[in-house]
Amino acid sequence: MPVELFDELRTQLLETGLLSAEQLDDAQQRAAREGCSLEETLVKMRLLLDSQVTVLKAARLGVPYCNLADYIANLQNAELIPEEVARRHVMFPLFVLDGIVTLVMADAGDLTGIDQVRRRTRQEVEQVLGSPSDIMALIERAYGAHKYLETAEAALSSGDGEEPSTDAAAQPVIRLVDNLISEATHQGASDIHIEPQDRQLRIRIRVDGVLREVAAPPLALHRAMVSRIKVLARIDIAQTRRPQDGAFHHRAGNREVVVRVSVLPSIYGEAVVLRLLRNESETVSLPDLGMEASVLERFRAQIQCAHGMILVSGPTGSGKSTTLYAALKEVASPERNVIAIEDPVEYRLPAIRQVQVNPEASLTFASGLRSILRQDPDVVMVGEIRDGETAQIAVQAALTGHLVFSTVHTNDSVSSVVRLRDMGVAPYLISSSLLAVVAQRLCRRICPDCVTDDQPAERHLRAIGLTPDRLDFRPQRGRGCRRCFGGGYLSRVGLYELFELSEENREQIVRGEPTEVIRATARSEGMKFLRDDGLLKLRAGLTTVEEVARVAGSA
């Protein structure tokens, strides 16, 4: 860095109070030793965020600063410049207006990059400065999602706006659907949402529990895409006025996924949701779930009981089924007869008999559970307790020598008692049969390749019972990189609370005490709640304050 620029940067940092003279001297010495620029060293030492460095640079150069978090970039602008050019020059065309391309760049002096964009677009270029990590994250999203769109123009020009034939494996629409599913699988998505709107087609994928929008093909291809998906799922192509469900297998590279299809009529056409199921449960065991050591030890002790009922509670998508599968794998053995009834059977588990609910054949949770109990089971897993009849049979099974696992939709573990009571189960039966309830949520895990210090918003801190002056740890976040596709998160980690019924709790249930009283007793006996586990995950640097506030914070 030239001496004059270093002096300007030093003056800026001292005047703004961001760093002290001692910190700057230490950073300058390290930069000299490692042969890096001072700005890179400040970020590497976690003294500044790269966004702060970019703001200072923009002020020195008199170039507008662009915080990409404040913009909804048009991902289809990826077609304006090749991916290799965008990556080499760390730039992306944000938008085009009145013949001017607004180009966000990491280096305002990169005249070669500006000239390339000007020649390729034949339009004037207006540059703004952005954080390098934010720009790279945008590039990952734009070009990763843009791959499957390369066939869209060919599909339109070939006249494939209607239902595709099934024998033309090279048809553009077929490749379009295949590339969409493959790209979503590659990014670790669990769902793909295809949503027709008034003037455009909207496509979103759910990664680590959060939906994000990706570039979509023209609306004219919607019917052809839906028809192709229906052909794969073997559902009625001609039927467009009622919901339909189906499934098919898809191979993405060396990975095979089961794609569960849900088609729902909407005012602008049929909306499709594809659930991508991988047989990853085979590798998931209880220690992999992320339970705190003492909670894991107590939960393991509960699932080894000879009889009783254990519930897992939480909203849809909170990982309840994964926890049950992990527990079943631990208790399954040649000496035990383990039977599960599910809707649907998402993963096949060896050594366990699995039954698929089929209402058309009068096979419901309640009727299936009755039949299972005549099959001499030791352990029974009921996918979900949805109604009073199923709840009554499950409780009776737990009281007659069976170990019963199931799930229930409640906000926390203690509320499961009230939920069973609302379903008509007598309080004394709940008290006698229920062993424990696990409540859980899933937080996105910080990407280990781009972790950096965070400055969480005060509202997020308040949501989990903290204030800036009471922080006893250093919050962290992910900047966004190639590995995490620019999101800053990679996979998820669970938050858990384990409610084990004590004698006092059982007496309170029989007396019909409200949830608040039972919860207060549990806390006085040492129970840790979801928010407590979230704080442990924060101190371990596994997730962010914003994530814990999102899934376990108060409004």
Side-chain angles (χ1 to χ4, degrees), residues 281 299 303 308-312 319-332 336-357 363-373 375-386 390 393-395 397-398 402-408:
S281 62
F299 182 60
I303 66 176
M309 184 162 65
I310 297 174
L311 299 178
V312 181
K320 300 187 297 297
S321 296
T322 301
T323 300
L324 283 183
Y325 285 135
L328 284 179
K329 285 171 58 179
E330 186 135 328
V331 302
R336 275 180 157 176
N337 183 16
V338 182
I339 307 178
I341 180 167
E342 307 168 62
D343 182 24
V345 176
E346 295 188 356
Y347 303 111
R348 272 64 173 175
L349 298 178
I352 296 174
R353 279 186 286 165
Q354 294 174 274
V355 180
Q356 168 72 56
V357 167
L363 178 56
T364 63
F365 278 122
S367 63
L369 187 52
R370 286 196 189 92
S371 299
I372 286 173
L373 294 178
Q375 292 274 313
D376 186 32
D378 297 295
V379 181
V380 177
M381 194 269 268
V382 183
E384 182 184 348
I385 294 180
R386 299 175 177 172
T390 305
I393 300 171
V395 167
H402 305 89
L403 182 61
V404 179
F405 294 96
S406 191
T407 68
V408 64

Side-chain angles (χ1 to χ4, degrees), residues 492-546:
R492 289 187 282 181
V493 62
L495 306 185
Y496 299 91
E497 65 179 36
L498 176 62
F499 173 44
E500 299 175 282
L501 277 72
S502 64
E503 288 304 316
E504 176 63 24
N505 292 143
R506 296 184 190 281
E507 292 175 4
Q508 290 172 333
I509 292 171
V510 172
R511 293 197 301 267
E513 298 280 5
T515 305
E516 292 75 15
V517 175
I518 301 174
R519 187 180 292 112
T521 300
R523 180 176 284 281
S524 68
E525 294 174 347
M527 176 180 166
K528 301 296 183 183
F529 294 89
L530 287 171
R531 191 183 300 179
D532 302 319
D533 196 33
L535 293 176
L536 290 177
K537 300 298 193 297
L538 286 174
R539 290 186 173 90
L542 296 177
T543 188
T544 63
V545 171
E546 183 178 358

Side-chain angles (χ1 to χ4, degrees), residues 9 37 128 229 262 368:
L9 176 59
S37 70
V128 294
I229 292 169
S262 173

Side-chain angles (χ1 to χ4, degrees), residues 394-465:
V395 167
Q396 291 297 332
L399 291 171
T400 54
H402 305 89
L403 182 61
V404 179
F405 294 96
S406 191
T407 68
V408 64
H409 284 267
T410 56
N411 289 328
D412 57 57
S413 56
V414 180
S415 298
S416 301
V417 173
V418 177
R419 177 71 176 139
L420 291 175
R421 202 158 56 197
D422 290 343
M423 289 183 184
V425 181
Y428 73 92
L429 294 178
I430 300 173
S431 172
S432 303
S433 61
L434 190 59
L435 296 175
V437 184
V438 176
Q440 65 181 76
R441 299 289 190 278
L442 291 178
C443 280
R444 289 179 291 175
R445 188 190 292 263
I446 298 172
C447 175
D449 285 7
C450 60
V451 62
T452 186
D453 289 342
D454 190 18
Q455 295 178 340
E458 188 173 344
R459 69 179 187 279
H460 294 146
L461 291 170
R462 287 199 305 269
I464 58 176

Side-chain angles (χ1 to χ4, degrees), residues 141-184:
R141 283 174 31 230
Y143 289 98
H146 190 68
K147 290 177 183 176
Y148 77 92
L149 292 178
E150 294 174 351
T151 56
E153 185 175 346
L156 282 174
S157 63
S158 66
D160 288 332
E162 300 298 326
E163 169 185 327
S165 60
T166 60
D167 58 350
Q171 276 192 17
V173 167
I174 293 177
R175 295 199 306 273
L176 182 64
V177 172
D178 183 74
N179 290 342
L180 171 60
I181 298 173
S182 296
E183 181 61 30

Side-chain angles (χ1 to χ4, degrees), residues 40-78:
E40 291 175 325
T41 304
L42 291 172
V43 174
K44 190 183 298 183
M45 293 176 67
R46 298 185 179 182
L47 295 174
L48 291 179
L49 299 175
D50 56 357
S51 58
Q52 293 174 304
V53 171
T54 306
V55 170
L56 294 172
K57 184 190 294 185
R60 290 199 309 273
L61 299 176
V63 176
Y65 168 71
C66 174
N67 182 3
L68 289 177
D70 296 334
Y71 288 85
I72 301 176
N74 185 355
L75 300 184
Q76 293 191 17
N77 285 345

